[in-house]
Amino acid sequence: MSGTARFITVEGIEGVGKTTQVARLSEFLGGQGIAHVVTREPGGTPLAESIRQVVLTVGEESVPGTAELLLMFAARAVHLANYIRPNLNADRWVICDRFTDASYAYQGGGRGLPSDHIHALECMVQGDLRPDLTILLDAPVEHALRRARQRNAGIVEDRFEREKGQFFERVRSAYRARAAAEPQRIAIIDATQNLDAVCALIVGQLKARSWIS
Ligand code: TYD
């Protein structure tokens, strides 16, 4: 992999404004003349997007937590091989809306699957590739879910959006615990602030690493 392309992931529970901030970051990088791509998980390639449909759609049959975890990593293996690594190798930054921290937070924290199983899959699927920077947009669950529900009014909920507040409390705690354990990589940003303030803090993280001037 060549030297300068950065792999940045954006995380948080539903309703924290990830998608908006990913778009803003992309706009900012474009303005700086930095070649980059924007992608998301689960998904990011046609095959991985098909897996996304399978894992998010509410169906008749229940999805065991282990199957959910494996589907997330199956999609990730495809995404890494067919999109993320080729872009990094071509020296394009990759901005990804969710990545493996979401598996630790949702399947680990939310569903209660053991983190050593997740870690084993992380090593198997990613080798030693980890994000260079992870932005954790953090907000109280009640605040975030209110925003998510306003946004989703009239849209059919997916398998995660149907979950209750307690599930998202566990997800949020797991995210925060990961940030506490890896403060160099994961920057927590208070997502209750206005969009401009959040965007400025994200850009500040890039500046702090001297990735941009
Ligand atoms: P996303 O499209 O980011 O949802 P939203 O825009 O509503 O926040 O992600 C879809 C869902 O997939 C989200 O509820 C979190 C879940 N997810 C996992 O449970 N594990 C994972 O590893 C990933 C990448 C996502």
Side-chain angles (χ1 to χ4, degrees):
M1 198 163 296
S2 23
T4 54
R6 308 294 177 187
F7 179 28
I8 302 176
T9 62
V10 182
E11 298 279 359
I13 59 172
E14 349 284 299
V16 291
K18 270 182 307 98
T19 309
T20 306
Q21 292 300 338
V22 165
R24 290 237 182 163
L25 177 58
S26 172
E27 214 172 290
F28 174 81
L29 293 174
Q32 298 279 309
I34 294 175
H36 68 283
V37 295
V38 172
T39 187
R40 68 170 182 183
E41 288 211 343
T45 78
L47 176 55
E49 290 286 331
S50 306
I51 299 172
R52 177 188 178 91
Q53 284 302 317
V54 169
V55 75
L56 295 189
T57 305
V58 177
E60 302 260 297
E61 192 171 346
S62 69
V63 181
T66 310
E68 186 177 281
L69 178 68
L70 291 169
L71 286 166
M72 294 296 178
F73 272 98
R76 186 161 297 135
V78 173
H79 192 204
L80 277 165
N82 296 348
Y83 195 77
I84 295 177
R85 286 188 190 277
N87 274 294
L88 291 172
N89 286 338
D91 236 357
R92 284 185 285 271
W93 292 31
V94 174
I95 314 303
C96 193
D97 187 337
R98 299 194 188 280
F99 192 63
T100 302
D101 292 297
S103 301
Y104 282 99
Y106 283 78
Q107 283 66 55
R111 304 279 190 230
L113 295 179
S115 57
D116 54 338
H117 290 182
I118 303 173
H119 182 68
L121 288 167
E122 179 179 33
C123 295
M124 181 168 88
V125 169
Q126 294 167 221
D128 57 11
L129 182 70
R130 300 289 180 276
D132 296 303
L133 168 65
T134 296
I135 302 291
L136 174 56
L137 297 177
D138 183 58
V141 169
E142 214 179 295
H143 177 100
L145 289 189
R146 204 180 315 121
R147 284 213 315 219
R149 288 190 175 130
Q150 279 164 4
R151 179 193 64 191
N152 293 344
I155 299 174
V156 181
E157 290 182 319
D158 71 30
R159 287 186 46 257
F160 293 98
E161 289 159 353
R162 283 169 25 134
E163 291 294 339
K164 305 267 176 295
Q166 278 173 343
F167 174 86
F168 292 105
E169 293 288 359
R170 293 196 300 277
V171 173
R172 183 184 183 210
S173 300
Y175 268 136
R176 289 172 63 94
R178 290 189 65 69
E182 277 188 79
Q184 302 296 334
R185 174 175 69 86
I186 307 181
I188 300 197
I189 289 178
D190 174 1
T192 63
Q193 304 172 85
N194 68 53
L195 294 180
D196 289 341
V198 172
C199 183
L201 288 168
I202 295 173
V203 169
Q205 289 294 326
L206 307 189
K207 287 194 176 139
R209 288 166 174 75
S210 303
W211 291 352
I212 52 167
S213 44

